[in-house]
Amino acid sequence: MTTFDPASVPRTADLDNPLYYLENMETVVRWVLDHHGDLLTGSEFRLLETFLGLETEEKALLTRLVMRTGELFRADKLVYPELDSPVSEILHRLVSADWLEPEPLLDLDQLFRLFTLAELRPAFADTLQELGHSRTLPKATMKTVLSDHFSEARTLDQWFDTGEAWVVCLRHMALFDRIRLMFFGNLRQTWSDFVLVELGYQSYEQVPFTAESRAFSHREEVDCYLAMQACRDQLDEGVPAFEVWSQVPGPVTNAWLASRRDRLLLELGRQAERQGDRELALTVWARSQHREARLKQLRLLERMKRHEEAWGIASHWQSEEMSDAERQGLDRILKRVAPKVGEPRPAPITTLPINEWQISLPRPAVGSVEWAAAEHLHRPEAPVAYVENTLINGLFGLLCWSAIFKPVPGAFFHPFHTGPADLTREDFVERRRPDFEACFATLGDGGYQQRILDTWHGKQGLANPFVIWPALSQDLIELALECIPAEHLEAMFRRLLLNVKEHRSGFPDLIQFHPQRPDDEPRYEMVEVKGPGDRLQDHQRRWLDFFAREGIPASVCYVRWDEDSGVGSRE
């Protein structure tokens, strides 16, 4: 495995440089040419080299347009004071170099996005009058009225005389999207991510880059991702699900892309059901391996009264390994469907009783019910912290930092990862099993406390999917490590890893520490707070049941407002 030259790892530009955005773009282009060149066609490769060879002002203006939304721009509205030459002159040079289309065809929607109502009214006044409408219609109404009359796209001068106005269209935008995808491994991250890093909003762990670290190994994988993104965009735009279904790429062997395809099929099934195409929803969900897809398939079969079919799928699934949420959902379906098919109801999943109690508090003028409960319960000898999901996740992230950021192939492929790309995949833990076990071993030998504190100091501020830095003060961590036994931490950490996506949430709101108690008594308690009318969610119940089974002190505090009293009481 060959490691990339550390000197080639991308860095963000200094924002004191007025052309910082161009420097960042050149960084991405060079990185892609150097490390993803085999995934580009010859013409794409040459085009990117041509980009790098443009004059600085041409590259800068082109980059500005690439980083904006859309591909159509009014030349008369482009103002960039960091450029010495008039923008119009630079645009003409880019047109000559074939980077811009000078007379793009515009449909009515595009025209109305580019021009103001004051500009459009004179142009269409006569047409509106001929169609029997007022010349002063609102913009949206005017577009609706004209949509049937103007169905074909035209160049700007064919629409109307715009004077000095001029519209240009970016050529090769698809190529810039492609290199952004190859660099980031997704299209969610944008060019502005560089700026966020430079401004100090986010700092990232630096993971060694290898040839195997790339998001994509073959051009076909890039094409597959882009095709799936196009499908997702169409779903977001309301395109009928059956039209999108025909465009979904077939099954793929790349595990990372397969998981993304499974998520696309999950959403496609949702859209199909909402649009009344139940058969398509069933077909799509049956082909998705997403955790939620099979439950959705079963619930829809149940609503369609196809109980025998639902029972067959559910019964077969019952023998397979599944998460707590899947087990709970499947159990509920089996209970409902069993009588419909003449089968005995399955034995209920046994749960232990939840420790519940109630307090009456005066309604606070400001703040949440959780803060009110925390303030009431807090005592100097028994401090309370409002931590929700941040504390246990944070301690896990600090203890297992090295395992989380292990340079596993396909997990890290650029310097701006908040966490590994395979974090929520089923094989996330298995690919790092020895590393997690080595971290957990420190819980048994006593080295975990110093390890967590050293990581807290050494990695301060670096992005980690489990660590919310503002919520983790050194005092809180030291108190937690003093009061929470190592065996309790290990039990929670191991459950967390059973389903990272699901189990990162559902922890109780508060934790109360009792540092002065002897070691043979519980020195902490986690407390879930519920205000009037609120109730426990399923994922919270599953954590509470787990706590009861493991002997981890946890309870539910129900708060009711005592409007007449200024003193809270526990009942």
Side-chain angles (χ1 to χ4, degrees):
M1 185 179 292
T2 303
T3 302
F4 291 153
D5 179 3
S8 70
V9 173
R11 295 289 186 266
T12 57
D14 185 347
L15 292 183
D16 290 335
N17 174 9
L19 297 178
Y20 69 91
Y21 57 89
L22 173 57
E23 187 177 338
N24 287 336
M25 174 63 82
E26 290 177 323
T27 294
V28 172
V29 172
R30 290 193 176 96
W31 175 268
V32 170
L33 288 175
D34 289 344
H35 305 303
H36 303 272
D38 59 316
L39 306 182
L40 299 168
T41 64
S43 59
E44 289 170 342
F45 197 98
R46 289 189 295 273
L47 197 59
L48 292 176
E49 288 186 317
T50 300
F51 168 81
L52 293 175
L54 291 172
E55 295 297 326
T56 299
E57 287 190 325
E58 295 168 19
K59 279 188 294 188
L61 181 55
L62 186 57
T63 298
R64 281 290 197 186
L65 300 184
V66 168
M67 292 183 174
R68 289 179 57 161
T69 301
E71 299 177 29
L72 293 167
F73 305 97
R74 284 183 57 168
D76 57 313
K77 299 295 184 181
L78 299 176
V79 179
Y80 297 111
E82 74 274 14
L83 304 178
D84 295 329
S85 301
V87 169
S88 59
E89 292 183 9
I90 306 173
L91 288 173
H92 281 295
R93 296 202 295 267
L94 289 171
V95 167
S96 298
D98 202 33
W99 287 98
L100 298 176
E101 165 61 49
E103 297 181 349
L105 293 175
L106 307 174
D107 60 27
L108 196 69
D109 285 341
Q110 293 167 332
L111 187 73
F112 270 60
R113 282 199 298 270
L114 290 166
F115 289 86
T116 66
L117 179 60
E119 292 170 315
L120 293 166
R121 272 182 174 167
F124 293 105
D126 292 343
T127 304
L128 289 172
Q129 195 167 31
E130 290 172 8
L131 294 173
H133 295 279
S134 168
R135 300 161 63 98
T136 59
L137 289 177
K139 190 174 185 180
T141 307
M142 187 194 311
K143 188 177 73 170
T144 301
V145 167
L146 295 173
S147 60
D148 292 334
H149 192 72
F150 297 104
S151 57
E152 295 183 358
R154 309 177 179 192
T155 61
L156 184 57
D157 60 357
Q158 290 173 334
W159 278 112
F160 57 85
D161 182 5
T162 59
E164 298 296 320
W166 176 33
V167 174
V168 294
C169 179
L170 268 173
R171 297 185 189 270
H172 316 301
M173 188 60 197
L175 175 57
F176 284 102
D177 285 337
R178 182 177 287 266
I179 67 170
R180 178 163 60 92
L181 171 59
M182 286 190 284
F183 181 79
F184 286 115
N186 62 72
L187 289 174
R188 182 187 67 259
Q189 284 178 281
T190 67
W191 306 110
S192 63
D193 280 76
F194 281 107
V195 180
L196 293 176
V197 176
E198 184 59 34
L199 289 174
Y201 295 153
Q202 188 64 277
S203 298
Y204 300 87
E205 177 68 285
Q206 293 300 301
V207 180
F209 293 97
T210 67
E212 292 78 13
S213 297
R214 302 189 306 177
F216 308 99
S217 299
H218 307 283
R219 181 178 176 85
E220 292 75 17
E221 294 173 347
V222 183
D223 294 338
C224 178
Y225 188 107
L226 291 169
M228 289 192 291
Q229 183 63 47
C231 290
R232 185 55 195 258
D233 291 342
Q234 290 182 63
L235 290 176
D236 292 342
E237 293 165 3
V239 174
F242 73 89
E243 293 184 21
V244 179
W245 171 233
S246 64
Q247 303 171 50
V248 175
V252 294
T253 56
N254 180 306
W256 171 65
L257 286 177
S259 66
R260 184 171 183 83
R261 182 177 182 272
D262 289 336
R263 291 197 299 274
L264 172 62
L265 294 181
L266 177 70
E267 182 57 32
L268 179 57
R270 285 172 175 160
Q271 292 277 44
E273 184 182 19
R274 283 195 288 265
Q275 294 167 2
D277 196 342
R278 289 181 161 188
E279 291 299 332
L280 177 58
L282 291 173
T283 298
V284 170
W285 284 333
R287 299 186 188 184
S288 173
Q289 298 301 311
H290 193 281
R291 293 179 184 275
E292 299 177 28
R294 190 152 23 177
L295 282 176
K296 288 189 173 296
Q297 180 191 17
L298 291 173
R299 288 167 183 151
L300 181 53
L301 286 170
E302 186 182 4
R303 288 195 295 274
M304 295 171 71
K305 302 188 183 305
R306 289 160 59 171
H307 299 119
E308 292 287 350
E309 191 175 347
W311 179 262
I313 295 173
S315 299
H316 178 73
W317 187 23
Q318 194 176 21
S319 62
E320 299 178 13
E321 185 178 352
M322 64 188 77
S323 69
D324 292 347
E326 290 171 320
R327 175 69 64 185
Q328 185 180 62
L330 178 62
D331 183 64
R332 290 171 176 172
I333 290 172
L334 288 170
K335 285 180 180 178
R336 294 193 300 266
V337 174
K340 307 291 178 59
V341 297
E343 296 286 347
R345 294 177 184 268
I349 299 175
T350 58
T351 58
L352 296 178
I354 296 173
N355 180 18
E356 300 176 314
W357 46 285
Q358 189 178 79
I359 58 173
S360 296
L361 297 177
R363 186 188 298 271
V366 294
S368 66
V369 64
E370 293 85 1
W371 282 112
E375 184 178 39
H376 170 69
L377 297 173
H378 183 87
R379 302 191 304 276
E381 73 279 8
V384 175
Y386 182 9
V387 295
E388 202 170 11
N389 299 312
T390 60
L391 179 59
I392 302 303
N393 277 309
L395 293 175
F396 168 80
L398 294 172
L399 177 70
C400 300
W401 193 287
S402 60
I404 295 166
F405 288 97
K406 182 179 181 179
V408 173
F412 299 96
F413 31 82
H414 64 74
F416 307 106
H417 276 283
T418 58
D422 61 342
L423 180 65
T424 58
R425 285 215 322 253
E426 282 74 7
D427 61 348
F428 168 71
V429 177
E430 202 55 42
R431 300 174 77 197
R432 303 162 175 82
R433 177 74 65 185
D435 304 273
F436 280 119
E437 292 302 329
C439 296
F440 292 160
T442 65
L443 291 161
D445 63 24
Y448 71 98
Q449 295 180 331
Q450 193 59 50
R451 182 188 184 104
I452 288 174
L453 287 169
D454 287 346
T455 306
W456 186 87
H457 286 289
K459 302 294 186 180
Q460 189 66 221
L462 295 182
N464 181 310
F466 298 95
V467 178
I468 307 299
W469 289 105
L472 294 175
S473 67
Q474 182 172 346
D475 288 343
L476 174 61
I477 290 175
E478 290 178 343
L479 194 54
L481 294 177
E482 178 184 355
C483 295
I484 304 175
E487 58 268 26
H488 289 183
L489 290 175
E490 181 171 356
M492 289 185 279
F493 293 168
R494 289 190 180 278
R495 183 177 190 269
L496 179 60
L497 285 181
L498 291 176
N499 186 335
V500 171
K501 183 177 180 180
E502 177 186 316
H503 294 171
R504 278 192 292 176
S505 62
F507 288 98
D509 300 304
L510 311 181
I511 185 167
Q512 184 164 32
F513 299 105
H514 301 278
Q516 298 178 13
R517 285 181 178 176
D519 291 341
D520 59 350
E521 294 182 17
R523 304 180 70 198
Y524 78 103
E525 180 183 10
M526 293 188 286
V527 180
E528 176 63 29
V529 179
K530 292 298 178 185
D534 198 3
R535 63 184 182 86
L536 290 171
Q537 303 299 309
D538 283 345
H539 66 308
Q540 295 173 328
R541 289 185 178 278
R542 290 191 287 270
W543 266 116
L544 289 166
D545 181 65
F546 173 80
F547 294 149
R549 293 178 186 279
E550 295 292 329
I552 294 173
S555 62
V556 182
C557 170
Y558 290 95
V559 176
R560 68 181 184 186
W561 301 126
D562 186 351
E563 306 293 354
D564 300 324
S565 171
V567 180
S569 60
R570 177 168 179 165
E571 303 171 22

